[in-house]
Amino acid sequence: MASNSKNLAELLNSDVTLTATDIANGAVTTDKIADGAVTAVKTTSVGKAKNLFYNGAMQIAQRTTSAVTVSDNSNEGYSTVDRWKIDFGSAMGGALVAEPVGSPAGNSEFERSLKLSCSTVNGGSMASGSTRFLSVAQYLEGKDLQHLAYGTSDAKDTTYSFWVYTNKTGRYGFSVISQDSSSGFDVWGSYFDVTTANTWQKVTFTVPGNTSADIINTVTYGLLVDIYLAIAANRAGVTNATWQGYSTARVPGVYTDYVDFLDNTSNVFYVTGIQLETGSQATDFEHRRYGEELSLCQRYYFKSGSQWMSGQSYGTNNSQDGLIMPIYWPTTMRANPSVSFSGGSDGLSGAALYTAWVEEEGMSVNLRSTNAYTSVWWSGFTVTADSEL
Amino acid sequence: MNEMNIANARYDVDRDGNNVTIIATIGGVKMHISIPSEGNRHYDEIMRRVEAGTLTIADAE
């Protein structure tokens, strides 16, 4: 072999295995690669903001970094890490403790994980007629997904990957539900098996583009992605790994194929490194800067500090008289958020906090006196704005 | 897609007496939601229940 460039050409044409020394350092220079020699599928997502999920590394937890007990209708939904929803679907029984924690040893790439621990067993039936499920889920905005070209012959494949660690071996479910521009729903469901307890396992699914239904192009959700820790009878039964119309079932097989994570209070499940990217390959996780990830999450939820809100007010009646304090959100929110107030100390019994207006860009806090012609004050309260899907 | 626990829904008014906000306890938290707020999951669910006749929003205090 006379030169490294010749070696490379010969190797590519002969389909032999390259060894570490077959291509010398610096041998493959830009001018030796013809235009178009590397196909688009091999460069998809390279160098871009490729992860369509938010907070896949579980770094952001604006609501709390403490453990939260979650059950049906109690702290259900968004309770700890940003953007990841814990769903006790259809009155799923039992309870778990959710907590953003340091990852167990064995996966040094991800310092943080979402830890779920069964705290109360599921005493309800999962058998015929039940639509219960337990999942960790994320809703993705339709406007962020239009480049996937769903509903066209150019619909793009996507790849989902994540890491799990659990003592509960067995089968877990996974599904993607899409919402189209007519508010119809399709589902793509599959499963993964955990065969070794207490060992990090990377799970990967490549989902073909859905050519038969588009994705709604609004700020409502276009995709709902669920990782299931329990599945009842009526949630199982779809054709494995195939796009199909959605009614109730989300995963293939029958419910007894799947674990019921809430069957024993010793069960623990960790998940992290969740990524959704275009293309048919699971590439390295995109680690975003903490501030960048926080800013992205604040489109959906914002919690102020507790010391920077205070005021004194005097009103003539219990309406929008009194002090009005404008607040601008750190980033434009997805939709007008729901606002809540907490903490601080109020002066006199007639002090009350209201909103004067709330929009995607900001709001005005209204400090009122419910006792006419009475001066009131409020110091050090926290504002939360929730625009989650 | 889970059921939302909504209670104690009532309107709040501006200086002119117009309903401008819905105040409700949702999942145990007192929330203030501007009217209208389409796309806000709390607002959309409240309106769905009002239309279905399963939720009534009380007048402002």
Side-chain angles (χ1 to χ4, degrees), chain A residues 135-194:
Chain A
S135 73
V136 177
Q138 186 165 129
Y139 290 92
L140 294 169
E141 254 179 85
K143 280 193 174 296
D144 285 341
L145 303 167
Q146 296 306 305
H147 65 291
L148 300 181
Y150 273 32
T152 78
S153 58
D154 294 327
K156 292 182 172 58
D157 296 347
T158 51
T159 298
Y160 298 77
S161 56
F162 50 92
W163 290 86
V164 298
Y165 178 108
T166 178
N167 66 326
K168 179 73 172 174
T169 58
R171 180 159 293 180
Y172 292 77
F174 174 84
S175 76
V176 182
I177 295 175
S178 67
Q179 178 174 198
D180 65 33
S181 53
S182 301
S183 296
F185 299 92
D186 280 2
V187 62
W188 186 99
S190 193
Y191 59 84
F192 61 96
D193 294 322
V194 174

Short mmCIF file of all heavy atoms in Angstrom, two decimals, chain A residues 135-194:
data_model
loop_
_atom_site.label_atom_id
_atom_site.label_comp_id
_atom_site.label_asym_id
_atom_site.label_seq_id
_atom_site.Cartn_x
_atom_site.Cartn_y
_atom_site.Cartn_z
N SER A 135 -46.84 6.02 34.43
CA SER A 135 -45.81 6.36 33.44
C SER A 135 -45.02 7.60 33.84
O SER A 135 -45.48 8.42 34.64
CB SER A 135 -46.43 6.59 32.06
OG SER A 135 -47.13 7.83 32.02
N VAL A 136 -43.85 7.69 33.25
CA VAL A 136 -43.06 8.93 33.23
C VAL A 136 -43.18 9.45 31.82
O VAL A 136 -42.89 8.72 30.86
CB VAL A 136 -41.59 8.67 33.60
CG1 VAL A 136 -40.79 9.96 33.50
CG2 VAL A 136 -41.48 8.06 34.99
N ALA A 137 -43.63 10.70 31.67
CA ALA A 137 -44.00 11.16 30.34
C ALA A 137 -43.55 12.59 30.09
O ALA A 137 -43.30 13.36 31.03
CB ALA A 137 -45.53 11.08 30.17
N GLN A 138 -43.44 12.92 28.82
CA GLN A 138 -43.22 14.31 28.44
C GLN A 138 -44.06 14.65 27.22
O GLN A 138 -44.13 13.87 26.26
CB GLN A 138 -41.75 14.61 28.15
CG GLN A 138 -41.51 16.10 27.90
CD GLN A 138 -40.04 16.53 27.95
OE1 GLN A 138 -39.56 17.18 27.04
NE2 GLN A 138 -39.33 16.17 29.02
N TYR A 139 -44.73 15.79 27.28
CA TYR A 139 -45.47 16.32 26.15
C TYR A 139 -44.55 17.28 25.39
O TYR A 139 -43.87 18.10 26.01
CB TYR A 139 -46.69 17.12 26.62
CG TYR A 139 -47.81 16.31 27.21
CD1 TYR A 139 -47.89 16.08 28.58
CD2 TYR A 139 -48.83 15.82 26.39
CE1 TYR A 139 -48.95 15.36 29.12
CE2 TYR A 139 -49.89 15.11 26.93
CZ TYR A 139 -49.95 14.88 28.30
OH TYR A 139 -50.99 14.17 28.82
N LEU A 140 -44.58 17.18 24.06
CA LEU A 140 -43.78 18.07 23.23
C LEU A 140 -44.69 18.91 22.35
O LEU A 140 -45.64 18.40 21.74
CB LEU A 140 -42.82 17.25 22.36
CG LEU A 140 -41.75 16.49 23.15
CD1 LEU A 140 -41.02 15.51 22.25
CD2 LEU A 140 -40.76 17.45 23.79
N GLU A 141 -44.36 20.18 22.26
CA GLU A 141 -45.18 21.13 21.52
C GLU A 141 -45.20 20.82 20.02
O GLU A 141 -44.16 20.57 19.41
CB GLU A 141 -44.56 22.53 21.67
CG GLU A 141 -45.30 23.45 22.58
CD GLU A 141 -44.59 24.78 22.66
OE1 GLU A 141 -44.81 25.64 21.80
OE2 GLU A 141 -43.80 24.95 23.60
N GLY A 142 -46.37 20.95 19.43
CA GLY A 142 -46.49 20.70 18.00
C GLY A 142 -45.60 21.60 17.17
O GLY A 142 -45.02 21.17 16.16
N LYS A 143 -45.45 22.87 17.57
CA LYS A 143 -44.64 23.80 16.78
C LYS A 143 -43.17 23.39 16.73
O LYS A 143 -42.45 23.81 15.82
CB LYS A 143 -44.77 25.22 17.36
CG LYS A 143 -46.05 25.93 16.93
CD LYS A 143 -46.00 27.40 17.24
CE LYS A 143 -47.20 28.13 16.67
NZ LYS A 143 -47.27 28.09 15.20
N ASP A 144 -42.72 22.61 17.69
CA ASP A 144 -41.33 22.18 17.71
C ASP A 144 -41.09 20.94 16.85
O ASP A 144 -39.94 20.47 16.75
CB ASP A 144 -40.89 21.85 19.14
CG ASP A 144 -40.67 23.11 19.97
OD1 ASP A 144 -40.49 24.18 19.37
OD2 ASP A 144 -40.67 23.01 21.21
N LEU A 145 -42.13 20.40 16.24
CA LEU A 145 -42.02 19.09 15.60
C LEU A 145 -42.33 19.10 14.11
O LEU A 145 -42.35 18.04 13.48
CB LEU A 145 -42.96 18.10 16.31
CG LEU A 145 -42.74 17.95 17.82
CD1 LEU A 145 -43.91 17.22 18.45
CD2 LEU A 145 -41.44 17.22 18.10
N GLN A 146 -42.54 20.28 13.56
CA GLN A 146 -42.98 20.33 12.16
C GLN A 146 -41.91 19.84 11.20
O GLN A 146 -42.21 19.36 10.11
CB GLN A 146 -43.43 21.75 11.81
CG GLN A 146 -44.65 22.21 12.60
CD GLN A 146 -45.81 21.25 12.49
OE1 GLN A 146 -46.25 20.92 11.40
NE2 GLN A 146 -46.29 20.75 13.63
N HIS A 147 -40.63 19.96 11.59
CA HIS A 147 -39.56 19.50 10.71
C HIS A 147 -39.55 17.98 10.53
O HIS A 147 -38.85 17.47 9.65
CB HIS A 147 -38.20 19.98 11.24
CG HIS A 147 -37.83 19.38 12.56
ND1 HIS A 147 -38.48 19.69 13.73
CD2 HIS A 147 -36.88 18.47 12.89
CE1 HIS A 147 -37.95 19.02 14.72
NE2 HIS A 147 -36.98 18.27 14.24
N LEU A 148 -40.31 17.27 11.36
CA LEU A 148 -40.39 15.81 11.20
C LEU A 148 -41.24 15.43 9.99
O LEU A 148 -41.23 14.27 9.58
CB LEU A 148 -40.94 15.18 12.47
CG LEU A 148 -40.13 15.42 13.76
CD1 LEU A 148 -40.77 14.70 14.93
CD2 LEU A 148 -38.68 14.97 13.58
N ALA A 149 -41.98 16.41 9.46
CA ALA A 149 -42.75 16.21 8.22
C ALA A 149 -43.73 15.05 8.31
O ALA A 149 -43.95 14.34 7.31
CB ALA A 149 -41.80 16.04 7.03
N TYR A 150 -44.30 14.84 9.48
CA TYR A 150 -45.31 13.78 9.61
C TYR A 150 -46.49 14.08 8.68
O TYR A 150 -46.80 15.24 8.41
CB TYR A 150 -45.79 13.69 11.06
CG TYR A 150 -44.94 12.79 11.93
CD1 TYR A 150 -43.57 12.66 11.73
CD2 TYR A 150 -45.50 12.07 12.98
CE1 TYR A 150 -42.79 11.84 12.53
CE2 TYR A 150 -44.73 11.25 13.80
CZ TYR A 150 -43.37 11.14 13.56
OH TYR A 150 -42.61 10.32 14.35
N GLY A 151 -47.11 13.02 8.22
CA GLY A 151 -48.25 13.17 7.33
C GLY A 151 -47.84 13.36 5.88
O GLY A 151 -48.69 13.60 5.03
N THR A 152 -46.55 13.25 5.60
CA THR A 152 -46.04 13.34 4.23
C THR A 152 -45.16 12.13 3.95
O THR A 152 -44.75 11.41 4.87
CB THR A 152 -45.22 14.62 3.99
OG1 THR A 152 -43.91 14.43 4.55
CG2 THR A 152 -45.88 15.84 4.60
N SER A 153 -44.86 11.96 2.67
CA SER A 153 -43.98 10.83 2.31
C SER A 153 -42.55 11.06 2.78
O SER A 153 -41.74 10.14 2.76
CB SER A 153 -43.99 10.62 0.79
OG SER A 153 -43.58 11.81 0.14
N ASP A 154 -42.26 12.29 3.20
CA ASP A 154 -40.92 12.61 3.70
C ASP A 154 -40.82 12.52 5.23
O ASP A 154 -39.83 12.98 5.80
CB ASP A 154 -40.52 14.04 3.28
CG ASP A 154 -40.37 14.16 1.78
OD1 ASP A 154 -39.95 13.16 1.15
OD2 ASP A 154 -40.67 15.23 1.24
N ALA A 155 -41.81 11.95 5.86
CA ALA A 155 -41.80 11.87 7.33
C ALA A 155 -40.50 11.25 7.82
O ALA A 155 -40.06 10.22 7.31
CB ALA A 155 -43.00 11.05 7.80
N LYS A 156 -39.91 11.89 8.80
CA LYS A 156 -38.57 11.49 9.24
C LYS A 156 -38.62 10.46 10.37
O LYS A 156 -39.47 10.53 11.27
CB LYS A 156 -37.79 12.72 9.70
CG LYS A 156 -37.44 13.68 8.58
CD LYS A 156 -36.63 14.85 9.08
CE LYS A 156 -36.11 15.69 7.93
NZ LYS A 156 -37.19 16.21 7.07
N ASP A 157 -37.67 9.54 10.30
CA ASP A 157 -37.49 8.62 11.42
C ASP A 157 -36.95 9.38 12.62
O ASP A 157 -36.23 10.38 12.47
CB ASP A 157 -36.49 7.52 11.05
CG ASP A 157 -36.99 6.64 9.91
OD1 ASP A 157 -38.19 6.71 9.58
OD2 ASP A 157 -36.17 5.89 9.35
N THR A 158 -37.28 8.90 13.79
CA THR A 158 -36.75 9.48 15.02
C THR A 158 -36.23 8.35 15.91
O THR A 158 -36.71 7.22 15.81
CB THR A 158 -37.81 10.27 15.80
OG1 THR A 158 -38.97 9.46 15.97
CG2 THR A 158 -38.19 11.55 15.07
N THR A 159 -35.30 8.69 16.75
CA THR A 159 -34.75 7.70 17.67
C THR A 159 -34.84 8.21 19.10
O THR A 159 -34.43 9.34 19.40
CB THR A 159 -33.30 7.35 17.30
OG1 THR A 159 -33.28 6.77 16.00
CG2 THR A 159 -32.70 6.35 18.29
N TYR A 160 -35.39 7.38 19.96
CA TYR A 160 -35.53 7.67 21.38
C TYR A 160 -34.51 6.82 22.14
O TYR A 160 -34.38 5.63 21.86
CB TYR A 160 -36.94 7.31 21.87
CG TYR A 160 -38.04 8.09 21.20
CD1 TYR A 160 -38.47 7.79 19.90
CD2 TYR A 160 -38.67 9.14 21.86
CE1 TYR A 160 -39.47 8.50 19.28
CE2 TYR A 160 -39.70 9.85 21.25
CZ TYR A 160 -40.09 9.54 19.96
OH TYR A 160 -41.09 10.25 19.35
N SER A 161 -33.83 7.42 23.07
CA SER A 161 -32.90 6.63 23.89
C SER A 161 -32.93 7.16 25.32
O SER A 161 -33.16 8.35 25.54
CB SER A 161 -31.48 6.69 23.31
OG SER A 161 -31.04 8.03 23.19
N PHE A 162 -32.73 6.27 26.26
CA PHE A 162 -32.69 6.65 27.67
C PHE A 162 -32.03 5.55 28.48
O PHE A 162 -31.84 4.42 28.00
CB PHE A 162 -34.09 6.95 28.21
CG PHE A 162 -35.13 5.90 27.93
CD1 PHE A 162 -35.38 4.87 28.84
CD2 PHE A 162 -35.88 5.94 26.77
CE1 PHE A 162 -36.34 3.90 28.58
CE2 PHE A 162 -36.83 4.97 26.49
CZ PHE A 162 -37.07 3.95 27.40
N TRP A 163 -31.67 5.91 29.70
CA TRP A 163 -31.01 4.97 30.60
C TRP A 163 -31.94 4.66 31.78
O TRP A 163 -32.54 5.57 32.35
CB TRP A 163 -29.71 5.57 31.14
CG TRP A 163 -28.62 5.69 30.12
CD1 TRP A 163 -28.42 6.72 29.25
CD2 TRP A 163 -27.57 4.74 29.87
NE1 TRP A 163 -27.32 6.49 28.46
CE2 TRP A 163 -26.78 5.28 28.82
CE3 TRP A 163 -27.22 3.51 30.42
CZ2 TRP A 163 -25.65 4.61 28.34
CZ3 TRP A 163 -26.11 2.85 29.93
CH2 TRP A 163 -25.34 3.40 28.90
N VAL A 164 -32.01 3.37 32.14
CA VAL A 164 -32.80 2.96 33.30
C VAL A 164 -31.96 2.08 34.22
O VAL A 164 -31.01 1.42 33.78
CB VAL A 164 -34.08 2.21 32.90
CG1 VAL A 164 -35.00 3.12 32.08
CG2 VAL A 164 -33.77 0.93 32.14
N TYR A 165 -32.34 2.08 35.48
CA TYR A 165 -31.66 1.29 36.52
C TYR A 165 -32.74 0.92 37.53
O TYR A 165 -33.42 1.79 38.08
CB TYR A 165 -30.58 2.15 37.17
CG TYR A 165 -29.80 1.53 38.31
CD1 TYR A 165 -28.47 1.14 38.13
CD2 TYR A 165 -30.36 1.37 39.58
CE1 TYR A 165 -27.73 0.60 39.18
CE2 TYR A 165 -29.63 0.84 40.64
CZ TYR A 165 -28.31 0.46 40.42
OH TYR A 165 -27.58 -0.07 41.47
N THR A 166 -32.93 -0.37 37.75
CA THR A 166 -34.00 -0.78 38.66
C THR A 166 -33.72 -2.16 39.24
O THR A 166 -33.00 -2.97 38.63
CB THR A 166 -35.36 -0.80 37.92
OG1 THR A 166 -36.38 -1.25 38.81
CG2 THR A 166 -35.33 -1.72 36.70
N ASN A 167 -34.29 -2.40 40.38
CA ASN A 167 -34.23 -3.75 40.96
C ASN A 167 -35.38 -4.62 40.46
O ASN A 167 -35.42 -5.81 40.69
CB ASN A 167 -34.29 -3.66 42.49
CG ASN A 167 -35.63 -3.13 42.98
OD1 ASN A 167 -36.24 -2.28 42.32
ND2 ASN A 167 -36.10 -3.62 44.11
N LYS A 168 -36.33 -3.98 39.75
CA LYS A 168 -37.54 -4.67 39.30
C LYS A 168 -37.35 -5.14 37.87
O LYS A 168 -37.55 -4.38 36.90
CB LYS A 168 -38.73 -3.71 39.40
CG LYS A 168 -40.06 -4.29 38.94
CD LYS A 168 -40.62 -5.28 39.92
CE LYS A 168 -42.03 -5.70 39.56
NZ LYS A 168 -42.51 -6.78 40.47
N THR A 169 -36.90 -6.37 37.71
CA THR A 169 -36.70 -6.90 36.37
C THR A 169 -38.05 -7.24 35.73
O THR A 169 -39.04 -7.47 36.41
CB THR A 169 -35.80 -8.15 36.39
OG1 THR A 169 -36.41 -9.13 37.23
CG2 THR A 169 -34.41 -7.82 36.91
N GLY A 170 -38.04 -7.29 34.40
CA GLY A 170 -39.26 -7.61 33.68
C GLY A 170 -39.47 -6.66 32.53
O GLY A 170 -38.56 -5.93 32.12
N ARG A 171 -40.68 -6.65 32.01
CA ARG A 171 -41.00 -5.88 30.80
C ARG A 171 -41.64 -4.53 31.15
O ARG A 171 -42.55 -4.45 31.99
CB ARG A 171 -41.94 -6.68 29.90
CG ARG A 171 -42.32 -5.97 28.62
CD ARG A 171 -42.80 -6.94 27.56
NE ARG A 171 -41.69 -7.79 27.12
CZ ARG A 171 -41.79 -8.74 26.20
NH1 ARG A 171 -42.95 -8.99 25.63
NH2 ARG A 171 -40.73 -9.45 25.86
N TYR A 172 -41.17 -3.50 30.49
CA TYR A 172 -41.70 -2.14 30.64
C TYR A 172 -42.23 -1.66 29.28
O TYR A 172 -41.72 -2.07 28.24
CB TYR A 172 -40.61 -1.18 31.12
CG TYR A 172 -40.15 -1.46 32.55
CD1 TYR A 172 -39.29 -2.51 32.83
CD2 TYR A 172 -40.58 -0.66 33.61
CE1 TYR A 172 -38.87 -2.77 34.13
CE2 TYR A 172 -40.17 -0.91 34.91
CZ TYR A 172 -39.32 -1.97 35.16
OH TYR A 172 -38.92 -2.23 36.46
N GLY A 173 -43.20 -0.82 29.30
CA GLY A 173 -43.80 -0.33 28.06
C GLY A 173 -43.24 1.02 27.64
O GLY A 173 -42.64 1.75 28.43
N PHE A 174 -43.46 1.32 26.36
CA PHE A 174 -43.03 2.60 25.79
C PHE A 174 -44.00 2.96 24.68
O PHE A 174 -44.38 2.10 23.88
CB PHE A 174 -41.61 2.46 25.23
CG PHE A 174 -41.12 3.68 24.51
CD1 PHE A 174 -40.56 4.74 25.21
CD2 PHE A 174 -41.22 3.78 23.12
CE1 PHE A 174 -40.11 5.87 24.53
CE2 PHE A 174 -40.77 4.90 22.44
CZ PHE A 174 -40.21 5.95 23.17
N SER A 175 -44.42 4.21 24.64
CA SER A 175 -45.29 4.61 23.54
C SER A 175 -45.06 6.06 23.15
O SER A 175 -44.60 6.88 23.97
CB SER A 175 -46.77 4.39 23.88
OG SER A 175 -47.24 5.39 24.76
N VAL A 176 -45.38 6.34 21.90
CA VAL A 176 -45.41 7.70 21.37
C VAL A 176 -46.82 7.92 20.83
O VAL A 176 -47.29 7.13 20.02
CB VAL A 176 -44.38 7.88 20.24
CG1 VAL A 176 -44.39 9.32 19.75
CG2 VAL A 176 -43.00 7.46 20.69
N ILE A 177 -47.47 8.96 21.30
CA ILE A 177 -48.79 9.31 20.80
C ILE A 177 -48.70 10.65 20.10
O ILE A 177 -48.19 11.62 20.67
CB ILE A 177 -49.83 9.36 21.94
CG1 ILE A 177 -50.01 7.96 22.55
CG2 ILE A 177 -51.17 9.91 21.43
CD1 ILE A 177 -50.92 7.93 23.77
N SER A 178 -49.16 10.70 18.86
CA SER A 178 -49.13 11.95 18.10
C SER A 178 -50.53 12.53 17.99
O SER A 178 -51.52 11.79 17.93
CB SER A 178 -48.54 11.72 16.71
OG SER A 178 -49.41 10.91 15.94
N GLN A 179 -50.61 13.85 18.00
CA GLN A 179 -51.88 14.54 17.78
C GLN A 179 -51.80 15.28 16.45
O GLN A 179 -50.87 16.06 16.22
CB GLN A 179 -52.15 15.54 18.92
CG GLN A 179 -53.45 16.31 18.73
CD GLN A 179 -53.82 17.20 19.91
OE1 GLN A 179 -54.96 17.63 20.04
NE2 GLN A 179 -52.86 17.49 20.76
N ASP A 180 -52.78 15.05 15.60
CA ASP A 180 -52.72 15.67 14.28
C ASP A 180 -53.55 16.96 14.24
O ASP A 180 -54.17 17.35 15.23
CB ASP A 180 -53.15 14.68 13.18
CG ASP A 180 -54.60 14.26 13.30
OD1 ASP A 180 -55.44 15.06 13.74
OD2 ASP A 180 -54.91 13.10 12.95
N SER A 181 -53.55 17.59 13.08
CA SER A 181 -54.20 18.90 12.95
C SER A 181 -55.71 18.82 13.05
O SER A 181 -56.38 19.85 13.17
CB SER A 181 -53.78 19.57 11.64
OG SER A 181 -54.01 18.69 10.55
N SER A 182 -56.27 17.61 13.00
CA SER A 182 -57.71 17.43 13.20
C SER A 182 -58.01 16.93 14.60
O SER A 182 -59.11 16.43 14.85
CB SER A 182 -58.25 16.44 12.16
OG SER A 182 -58.01 16.90 10.85
N SER A 183 -57.02 17.01 15.47
CA SER A 183 -57.12 16.52 16.85
C SER A 183 -57.41 15.02 16.89
O SER A 183 -58.04 14.53 17.83
CB SER A 183 -58.19 17.29 17.63
OG SER A 183 -57.82 18.64 17.74
N GLY A 184 -56.93 14.31 15.87
CA GLY A 184 -56.94 12.85 15.92
C GLY A 184 -55.62 12.37 16.50
O GLY A 184 -54.63 13.11 16.54
N PHE A 185 -55.61 11.11 16.96
CA PHE A 185 -54.42 10.61 17.65
C PHE A 185 -53.96 9.29 17.04
O PHE A 185 -54.78 8.42 16.76
CB PHE A 185 -54.72 10.39 19.14
CG PHE A 185 -55.11 11.64 19.86
CD1 PHE A 185 -56.45 12.00 19.96
CD2 PHE A 185 -54.16 12.48 20.41
CE1 PHE A 185 -56.83 13.17 20.61
CE2 PHE A 185 -54.53 13.65 21.06
CZ PHE A 185 -55.87 13.99 21.16
N ASP A 186 -52.65 9.15 16.87
CA ASP A 186 -52.04 7.89 16.48
C ASP A 186 -51.10 7.46 17.60
O ASP A 186 -50.61 8.29 18.37
CB ASP A 186 -51.23 8.05 15.18
CG ASP A 186 -52.12 8.03 13.94
OD1 ASP A 186 -53.36 7.94 14.10
OD2 ASP A 186 -51.58 8.11 12.82
N VAL A 187 -50.84 6.15 17.65
CA VAL A 187 -49.94 5.63 18.68
C VAL A 187 -48.93 4.69 18.05
O VAL A 187 -49.26 3.96 17.10
CB VAL A 187 -50.73 4.93 19.82
CG1 VAL A 187 -51.50 3.71 19.29
CG2 VAL A 187 -49.80 4.53 20.97
N TRP A 188 -47.72 4.75 18.58
CA TRP A 188 -46.67 3.78 18.24
C TRP A 188 -46.20 3.22 19.57
O TRP A 188 -45.71 3.97 20.43
CB TRP A 188 -45.52 4.49 17.51
CG TRP A 188 -44.43 3.58 16.99
CD1 TRP A 188 -44.28 3.13 15.72
CD2 TRP A 188 -43.31 3.04 17.73
NE1 TRP A 188 -43.16 2.35 15.62
CE2 TRP A 188 -42.55 2.27 16.83
CE3 TRP A 188 -42.89 3.13 19.05
CZ2 TRP A 188 -41.39 1.60 17.21
CZ3 TRP A 188 -41.74 2.45 19.45
CH2 TRP A 188 -40.99 1.70 18.53
N GLY A 189 -46.40 1.92 19.78
CA GLY A 189 -46.08 1.33 21.09
C GLY A 189 -45.13 0.16 20.99
O GLY A 189 -45.16 -0.59 20.00
N SER A 190 -44.30 0.02 21.99
CA SER A 190 -43.39 -1.12 22.05
C SER A 190 -43.02 -1.38 23.52
O SER A 190 -43.72 -0.93 24.43
CB SER A 190 -42.15 -0.88 21.19
OG SER A 190 -41.43 -2.08 21.02
N TYR A 191 -41.94 -2.06 23.75
CA TYR A 191 -41.56 -2.44 25.12
C TYR A 191 -40.05 -2.63 25.22
O TYR A 191 -39.35 -2.73 24.20
CB TYR A 191 -42.27 -3.73 25.54
CG TYR A 191 -41.95 -4.90 24.63
CD1 TYR A 191 -40.81 -5.67 24.82
CD2 TYR A 191 -42.79 -5.21 23.55
CE1 TYR A 191 -40.51 -6.72 23.96
CE2 TYR A 191 -42.49 -6.25 22.68
CZ TYR A 191 -41.35 -7.00 22.90
OH TYR A 191 -41.05 -8.02 22.05
N PHE A 192 -39.57 -2.71 26.43
CA PHE A 192 -38.17 -3.10 26.66
C PHE A 192 -38.12 -3.99 27.89
O PHE A 192 -38.97 -3.87 28.78
CB PHE A 192 -37.24 -1.89 26.79
CG PHE A 192 -37.55 -0.97 27.95
CD1 PHE A 192 -36.87 -1.09 29.16
CD2 PHE A 192 -38.51 0.02 27.83
CE1 PHE A 192 -37.14 -0.23 30.22
CE2 PHE A 192 -38.80 0.88 28.88
CZ PHE A 192 -38.12 0.76 30.08
N ASP A 193 -37.15 -4.89 27.91
CA ASP A 193 -37.00 -5.82 29.02
C ASP A 193 -35.79 -5.47 29.86
O ASP A 193 -34.70 -5.25 29.32
CB ASP A 193 -36.86 -7.25 28.50
CG ASP A 193 -38.12 -7.73 27.81
OD1 ASP A 193 -39.22 -7.40 28.30
OD2 ASP A 193 -38.01 -8.44 26.79
N VAL A 194 -35.98 -5.44 31.15
CA VAL A 194 -34.86 -5.31 32.08
C VAL A 194 -34.58 -6.71 32.62
O VAL A 194 -35.42 -7.29 33.31
CB VAL A 194 -35.19 -4.34 33.23
CG1 VAL A 194 -34.06 -4.33 34.26
CG2 VAL A 194 -35.43 -2.93 32.70
#
